[in-house]
Amino acid sequence: MPKPSLLEQLNYIAKEADSQLESAASEADIESWRVAYLGRQGRLTMLLRNLSSLPIDDRRVVGLEANRVKKLLEEKLNGRQQALKEAGYSRSLLEGGIDITLPGRPMAIGRLHPTTRILREILEAFTSMGFSVLEGPEVEWEHYNFDALNIPSEHPARDMWDTLWVDWADPSSQERNMLMRTHTSPMQARVMENNEPPIRVVVPGKCYRYEASDATHEWHFYQVEGLAVDTGITFADLKGTLYQFAKRIFGQDRQIRFRCDYFPFVEPGVDMSIDCFSCNGKGCRICKESGWIEILGAGMVHPNVLQGVGYDPKKYTGFAFGMGPERIAMLKYGIDDIRHFYTNDLRFLNQV
Ligand code: DAH
């Protein structure tokens, strides 16, 4: 029988390697297969060593074919290794003690910030009564923050708001001063300038003051401003609206009390208190034994403010109010220090 040619031998080795690899069932099997065929003493390698004995033309043909077979076998080896690995994974999933019926681990998800929560509650109370929600700039002109609110420069009431001024040079030579708004009241004038009555808006937003912080004062905090202007609005509308609001936030049994207070942009000006929800008015630590808790400032919009935006104060009247949502949240949720709100301590934030 003539000796099979190198090409035939190659062909034979390729086929044999193929079927051997199919039956390799473990990583060890695969490794011995690799040694047997592709290793340094392997059958393919040995065969290639004989190439040099061939005539030059045959050498090229067989050489090409041998490399093709080598490459093919290497690819198959990789494929087989991969398949075995995957089979191993699924087996260990089935047998390896992973109980897929166990409940998953809970994921730590975020939650609403206490300020966001109370803001939403407050705004909902007013939108349910027909108010719209609007926002305004935190960097404001002196004009809107003060003058338009009946607080001209040199007016002593400016001391009520320690102000952070913004350094800037006005290229228009109007010498307008810029500041961080000290309250949300400037939006009263902005809203009236851009709209005709009837107006019913609430304005949530951040405010800034140049002052030291302590348990009840922060240098930045939120306010919610309210404004209603129309023909025939009276103090009774103010009372009714804010009474509704107080009951909605602090409970249906709440009573309210108004006392005279001074804010330059309202006349008369008042502060509103609710009877203490903790002791029902008997006197306790929360209401400082008075039975009452002050929750906001309010009043009838000052005629000067109406006139300033071009409204006729003989035709239109309105009421305004302003409150600190952090203070409302502190009362409602029993938080003892306003500085907790913005120090980002998760032990605080996670409680809400
Ligand atoms: N802007 C006032 C403040 O920051 C709060 C306030 C009081 C707003 C009375 C009002 C109001 O609209 O009528 O102290």
Side-chain angles (χ1 to χ4, degrees):
M1 193 162 115
K3 221 171 156 220
S5 73
L6 276 179
L7 269 183
E8 280 170 325
Q9 285 184 47
L10 252 176
N11 218 328
Y12 177 78
I13 290 177
K15 267 202 196 126
E16 190 193 71
D18 215 21
S19 74
Q20 294 274 319
L21 188 60
E22 280 302 317
S23 56
S26 67
E27 276 185 37
D29 285 355
I30 289 185
E31 178 56 15
S32 34
W33 178 92
R34 189 191 65 76
V35 172
Y37 290 98
L38 300 170
R40 253 192 301 147
Q41 310 283 328
R43 301 192 45 194
L44 195 61
T45 323
M46 296 308 271
L47 192 92
L48 287 172
R49 286 220 182 116
N50 291 333
L51 272 184
S52 54
S53 61
L54 290 179
I56 187 100
D57 285 347
D58 290 358
R59 216 187 285 173
R60 192 170 300 127
V61 178
V62 179
L64 270 176
E65 179 61 10
N67 276 323
R68 193 188 63 80
V69 169
K70 191 170 174 218
K71 221 162 145 204
L72 195 77
L73 289 185
E74 280 167 354
E75 273 166 22
K76 289 195 169 165
L77 172 70
N78 279 338
R80 192 77 191 113
Q81 274 172 333
Q82 194 58 33
L84 213 68
K85 217 190 229 170
E86 274 158 25
Y89 286 151
S90 7
R91 202 174 334 108
S92 71
L93 273 179
L94 286 174
E95 303 166 355
I98 294 180
D99 182 354
I100 58 167
T101 65
L102 278 175
R105 295 200 185 101
M107 298 241 284
I109 53 168
R111 59 189 76 213
L112 293 179
H113 190 277
T115 305
T116 308
R117 248 183 75 167
I118 196 72
L119 276 174
R120 288 189 182 177
E121 279 185 61
I122 294 169
L123 296 177
E124 258 167 46
F126 288 105
T127 52
S128 76
M129 290 188 270
F131 284 73
S132 320
V133 179
L134 239 158
E135 289 181 291
E138 290 172 26
V139 180
E140 187 54 284
W141 297 116
E142 175 182 25
H143 168 78
Y144 289 107
N145 197 84
F146 290 125
D147 304 78
L149 293 172
N150 198 29
I151 322 168
S153 45
E154 316 306 331
H155 193 294
R158 284 209 178 186
D159 294 346
M160 291 166 74
W161 299 276
D162 296 307
T163 307
L164 287 158
W165 296 92
V166 176
D167 243 353
W168 85 301
D170 190 346
S172 74
S173 79
Q174 289 180 31
E175 300 214 357
R176 291 174 297 176
N177 290 320
M178 205 188 267
L179 47 76
M180 302 304 291
R181 68 174 172 201
T182 60
H183 49 181
T184 42
S185 305
M187 273 302 281
Q188 290 188 25
R190 284 184 179 272
V191 169
M192 288 191 278
E193 268 181 5
N194 292 307
N195 298 278
E196 285 298 312
I199 285 172
R200 277 183 206 83
V201 291
V202 273
V203 184
K206 243 179 175 184
C207 306
Y208 303 82
R209 291 203 190 154
Y210 181 61
E211 65 183 324
S213 47
D214 62 29
T216 53
H217 297 86
E218 261 286 19
W219 66 274
H220 65 130
F221 51 90
Y222 278 79
Q223 278 193 347
V224 175
E225 191 79 13
L227 178 71
V229 184
D230 202 350
T231 51
I233 289 198
T234 69
F235 197 87
D237 297 308
L238 179 160
K239 272 177 105 168
T241 307
L242 294 179
Y243 190 24
Q244 241 357 83
F245 158 74
K247 290 210 234 192
R248 180 139 175 177
I249 298 289
F250 292 104
Q252 286 303 315
D253 304 333
R254 292 286 62 81
Q255 297 300 308
I256 51 171
R257 178 189 76 175
F258 289 96
R259 289 191 306 184
C260 288
D261 201 349
Y262 171 69
F263 302 98
F265 33 90
V266 283
E267 182 58 39
V270 293
D271 63 55
M272 182 175 106
S273 301
I274 52 173
D275 63 333
C276 181
F277 49 83
S278 180
C279 62
N280 279 319
K282 285 198 269 308
C284 68
R285 208 174 55 88
I286 293 179
C287 59
K288 299 194 192 98
E289 308 300 332
S290 75
W292 294 96
I293 300 171
E294 201 178 306
I295 59 166
L296 54 82
M300 300 304 289
V301 180
H302 198 291
N304 289 354
V305 175
L306 295 172
Q307 214 144 31
V309 294
Y311 284 9
D312 178 357
K314 292 208 184 70
K315 187 169 171 202
Y316 295 117
T317 50
F319 66 84
F321 56 88
M323 68 185 84
E326 289 95 343
R327 176 171 163 76
I328 307 252
M330 285 167 78
L331 292 168
K332 186 165 176 174
Y333 306 136
I335 300 164
D336 61 1
D337 194 320
I338 193 172
R339 289 168 296 192
H340 288 317
F341 283 85
Y342 306 115
T343 37
N344 289 328
D345 187 335
L346 283 177
R347 290 170 303 177
F348 170 71
L349 297 174
N350 281 338
Q351 289 177 62
V352 179

